[in-house]
Amino acid sequence: MIETWQTTDPGVLRLPSGRLVRGRGLRHPLPAGPTPSYAVHLLGKRPPEVPWEARWLLWPDFRLPRHRAQAQHVLRDAWQRAAGERVEFACGGGRGRTGTALACLAVLDGVPADEAVEFVRRNYDRHAVETPWQKRYVRRFTA
């Protein structure tokens, strides 16, 4: 078992269960402190190589995941791993796609789907989940 994030680490969101996940923008420098043990890159093109385990979920900017069944599987796996690992979600800016994924994790963690976007905006970034279709994706996401 690997140590999880600290609540004071930059970009960390505490889910209601106590699981901690980090969101960040890949266009920004890697924050100081611990690195992820597992990352999900939400990008429209192949992500850069990283020295930790990472998964690429094809997700173009301002859009939705290309393969929704795969996205459901990847999000569920990451949520389970977050119980004992440092799990990170990252897109270009760390808000739209990352916020959408974090809101879906909140749904998996028991937050009602119609409250998950507000939960992430209140506890991660007030600009998270940028488009109406991303909000709708979260509202329709099932645990």
Side-chain angles (χ1 to χ4, degrees), residues 63-118:
R63 304 281 174 107
L64 298 174
R66 282 276 166 85
H67 308 287
R68 296 194 187 179
Q70 178 192 28
Q72 177 104 10
H73 174 76
V74 169
L75 291 165
R76 185 175 302 283
D77 178 58
W79 175 80
Q80 290 170 341
R81 292 176 79 143
E85 297 181 49
R86 287 188 306 272
V87 174
E88 172 182 87
F89 283 84
C91 65
R95 289 182 168 176
R97 293 167 285 182
T98 296
T100 302
L102 293 176
C104 291
L105 257 64
V107 172
L108 291 171
D109 207 65
V111 174
D114 62 343
E115 298 173 18
V117 170
E118 183 55 37

Side-chain angles (χ1 to χ4, degrees), residues 2 7-8 22 24 26 30 32 36-37 39 41 45 47 56 58 62-63 67 88 90 112 128 133:
I2 297 171
T7 56
T8 55
R22 180 169 84 178
R24 78 176 179 101
L26 293 170
L30 184 66
S37 54
H41 293 149
K45 62 181 183 176
W56 173 33
L58 183 58
F62 295 106
R63 304 281 174 107
H67 308 287
E88 172 182 87
W133 41 93

Side-chain angles (χ1 to χ4, degrees), residues 23-43:
R24 78 176 179 101
L26 293 170
R27 289 192 301 259
H28 308 294
L30 184 66
T35 58
S37 54
Y38 179 71
V40 178
H41 293 149
L42 314 161
L43 298 170

